[in-house]
Amino acid sequence: MRSVRRPGAYVCGIDAAMDVIGGKWKVLILWALDEKPCRFGELRRAVPGVTEKVLSSHLKELEDDGIVHREEYAEVPPRVEYSLTPRGASLNAALGPLGEWGRENVFPGADGAALAPEGRAAGAAATKRPLVRA
């Protein structure tokens, strides 16, 4: 269950932002919605591994935070689409540099290796574990 936020309890802006995007799947949901508005099933396929329960919970939290807009269409069968609000789009823009850092420092580049902190190539074989989930 989600706890109630207390704005005075944050130490800094990053602390507040992490409260909004915390969790394993929220950033991936935001990334998928940055591409285009999606229905629930489309999001479930765009974020492999997330359960329906967690996806539904995260979407509700993001909606409560003003990051995601839920649009219900009066059709038969019922249709619901999720999209980013302007606030959500600005959050995605703020996450852009973080994604760039991940591509440069963690995710393997075109040559299949990323640089370790010491400047050595650190491919999946060198670390004995994959750098990304399959």
Side-chain angles (χ1 to χ4, degrees):
M1 193 63 150
R2 184 179 183 95
S3 61
V4 177
R5 291 204 173 102
R6 293 183 311 261
Y10 298 126
V11 177
C12 64
I14 291 176
D15 186 22
M18 289 304 295
D19 191 29
V20 173
I21 62 169
K24 183 175 182 178
W25 305 107
K26 285 185 180 178
V27 174
L28 296 176
I29 293 168
L30 291 173
W31 175 78
L33 289 175
D34 195 42
E35 298 290 314
K36 64 179 177 120
C38 293
R39 295 176 71 171
F40 186 86
E42 292 174 310
L43 277 173
R44 195 176 63 230
R45 287 186 295 277
V47 183
V50 67
T51 64
E52 288 187 19
K53 179 181 177 182
V54 170
L55 179 59
S56 178
S57 170
H58 282 346
L59 285 168
K60 176 68 176 137
E61 290 172 12
L62 290 167
E63 184 182 6
D64 290 345
D65 291 332
I67 304 299
V68 168
H69 173 70
R70 181 178 191 266
E71 181 72 32
E72 294 183 43
Y73 295 92
E75 298 176 352
V76 177
R79 178 171 60 112
V80 175
E81 272 190 353
Y82 296 91
S83 60
L84 291 179
T85 63
R87 188 176 185 184
S90 72
L91 177 57
N92 251 1
L95 291 170
L98 183 62
E100 186 62 33
W101 183 91
R103 282 188 294 279
E104 291 175 1
N105 294 283
V106 180
F107 193 72
D111 62 355
L115 291 180
E118 300 83 28
R120 296 188 314 259
T127 61
K128 303 283 186 191
R129 60 186 170 88
L131 293 174
V132 294
R133 289 190 320 262

